Amino acid sequence: AHQVWVHLNLLQRSTMEYLIIGIAVFFNIAIIKWKFDKGRTTDASVDATLLVLVTVVFSGSYGALVVGTIASALISLYLLISPPKFA
């Protein structure tokens, strides 16, 4: 019974992680698309580059990738609310 509970617990945790990373990636891509649609191409390009960079840097482990993707989604939200001013 204990082994079954441990297995179910691990399954629930990994399912939740997949759900979180899926929502974060969707959120990122939706914001980037919105920025391109609104003509904020430089901002969207910076955002897309950061998403790719975070994915590459944090790809060493799944946990780090989840954290990096969530951080990237939060950066996308910040850049959406407070657009950078490029010279």
Side-chain angles (χ1 to χ4, degrees):
H2 177 69
Q3 288 178 340
V4 171
W5 183 83
V6 169
H7 180 69
L8 287 175
N9 190 23
L10 290 174
L11 180 64
Q12 287 174 346
R13 189 172 5 151
S14 65
T15 302
M16 183 60 79
E17 289 172 354
Y18 287 131
L19 181 64
I20 290 169
I21 199 166
I23 290 169
V25 169
F26 168 78
F27 184 68
N28 256 338
I29 292 171
I31 288 177
I32 292 168
K33 181 189 178 314
W34 182 87
K35 287 178 182 180
F36 276 121
D37 289 346
K38 297 297 179 185
R40 292 173 53 179
T41 55
T42 307
D43 187 14
S45 298
V46 167
D47 213 356
T49 303
L50 286 174
L51 176 61
V52 170
L53 182 65
V54 164
T55 302
V56 170
V57 168
F58 289 106
S59 64
S61 72
Y62 184 72
L65 184 59
V66 170
V67 171
T69 304
I70 292 169
S72 179
L74 293 174
I75 290 169
S76 292
L77 181 60
Y78 174 77
L79 292 175
L80 177 68
I81 294 168
S82 178
K85 295 171 180 44
F86 299 101

